[in-house]
Amino acid sequence: KAEIKPKGPVRDAVTLCAWVKLGETQHKGSAGVVERIQFYRIMVGQTKPPYSLSFSLQTEAQSWRSVSTPANLKAGEWFHVAASFDGEVGELVIYINGKQAGKASSAPGWIPPVTGLIDMGVRDTGAFLSGALDDVRVYDRALGPKAIAPMLAE
């Protein structure tokens, strides 16, 4: 488990990015990749491959929104994940290696004004990720494919 501290609250948009290599098994379902506890998170959906990832967040209206990738991610291989939320249009998008892998739309909404640490490699302080993370980033805006593409070459 590791933590990062954003400079300020994330309100109307967020993008979470990381390089991920998943292990052969996950010891609990919904293991955490990146999470601001109870507000927004990327999680692994299965305990054994092939894996899927989901990106979920809670709005000020206390409604959870979520989008998932197909269950086609292999263990032991590095891939880049980027998950974005644009509150102005209510859109969640998740990208794998720069390509859109899932999209969900709903009513516009805002993220509650929270500050504090963002956890890496764990969800809710107990669902630990089996694998590795690198170059974890958090942006206070919704990034699209053109902004994500250069990250794949870094």
Side-chain angles (χ1 to χ4, degrees):
K1 174 184 171 181
E3 300 170 327
I4 54 177
K5 184 170 181 157
K7 292 179 183 176
V10 173
R11 283 288 284 142
D12 57 349
V14 65
T15 300
L16 307 174
C17 303
W19 283 95
V20 181
K21 181 168 74 170
L22 299 171
E24 288 296 327
T25 62
Q26 301 297 320
H27 78 282
K28 282 189 174 183
S30 302
V33 176
V34 180
E35 173 186 58
R36 171 62 181 97
I37 295 176
Q38 294 303 314
F39 290 98
Y40 43 86
R41 60 176 62 134
I42 299 175
M43 302 179 295
V44 180
Q46 291 78 19
T47 56
K48 294 184 180 183
Y51 296 112
S52 68
L53 294 181
S54 66
F55 172 50
S56 303
L57 67 81
Q58 183 179 182
T59 64
E60 277 188 327
Q62 296 185 347
S63 67
W64 279 93
R65 300 175 185 191
S66 186
V67 62
S68 297
T69 70
N72 60 7
L73 300 170
K74 298 176 183 175
E77 295 182 5
W78 283 101
F79 62 89
H80 185 266
V81 60
S84 68
F85 170 69
D86 184 341
E88 285 190 29
V89 295
E91 186 174 87
L92 289 91
V93 184
I94 191 165
Y95 302 89
I96 300 295
N97 294 327
K99 296 181 180 169
Q100 183 177 305
K103 182 177 178 178
S105 297
S106 60
W110 309 109
I111 301 167
V114 297
T115 58
L117 299 175
I118 295 174
D119 292 333
M120 297 177 282
V122 65
R123 182 186 63 81
D124 290 340
T125 69
F128 291 94
L129 179 74
S130 171
L133 297 174
D134 193 20
D135 197 18
V136 176
R137 301 180 187 192
V138 179
Y139 295 89
D140 61 354
R141 59 194 181 279
L143 299 182
K146 288 182 182 178
I148 293 166
M151 295 179 204
L152 303 177
E154 294 178 1

